[in-house]
Amino acid sequence: MNCIFCKITKGEIPTNFHYEGERVIAFADLNPQAPTHLLLVPKSHYENAAELAKGDPNALVEIFSAAEQLAREFNLEGYRTVFNTGAAAGQSVFHAHLHLLGGRAFS
Ligand code: DGP
């Protein structure tokens, strides 16, 4: 399987991790949509958030607690979290990931 996020989580592509825990890593999005735009990614491969919830629910718990920790570290007053599911919704990498966005106003 040729999955870019599997390569990143395994350290095969050098990437600065802003968070690393037992099940989850976080790194900056290549194409940021806000001053702070991080991706929180489970180390295990699941295609989307629903599959992750079924296969490794503890990773989902860690994703949201890491998001809260990172928001504090990045001094975000508030933040937006997004899971895209399916190409029609804008998902382009089919390894589950949460977008954490902050540092600007959102409508
Ligand atoms: P989505 O469209 O929801 O599947 O989000 C995928 C995001 O991943 C998109 O905002 C760009 C980002 N991205 C894709 N490839 C890479 C990469 O190699 N490194 C990093 N840091 N981000 C990537």
Side-chain angles (χ1 to χ4, degrees):
M1 186 168 43
N2 192 25
C3 171
I4 188 85
F5 285 0
C6 283
K7 288 182 184 159
I8 290 174
T9 58
K10 289 179 184 145
E12 291 169 10
I13 296 173
T15 302
N16 180 34
F17 292 169
H18 290 286
Y19 170 90
E20 180 166 16
E22 188 184 346
R23 292 180 162 80
V24 174
I25 59 163
F27 52 88
D29 194 292
L30 199 61
N31 183 25
Q33 304 299 310
T36 298
H37 186 171
L38 302 174
L39 300 172
L40 289 94
V41 179
K43 291 179 180 177
S44 302
H45 183 94
Y46 291 94
E47 186 170 317
N48 57 46
E51 292 302 316
L52 179 62
K54 281 186 257 175
D56 189 1
N58 287 329
L60 264 185
V61 173
E62 186 178 333
I63 280 174
F64 280 103
S65 66
E68 172 70 14
Q69 180 182 316
L70 287 162
R72 259 185 276 117
E73 287 173 12
F74 279 78
N75 294 313
L76 303 181
E77 217 175 292
Y79 57 92
R80 177 169 286 183
T81 50
V82 177
F83 275 112
N84 293 323
T85 299
Q91 186 177 6
S92 60
V93 177
F94 292 86
H95 177 134
H97 52 279
L98 181 74
H99 294 261
L100 168 62
L101 302 121
R104 68 166 167 88
F106 294 92
S107 56

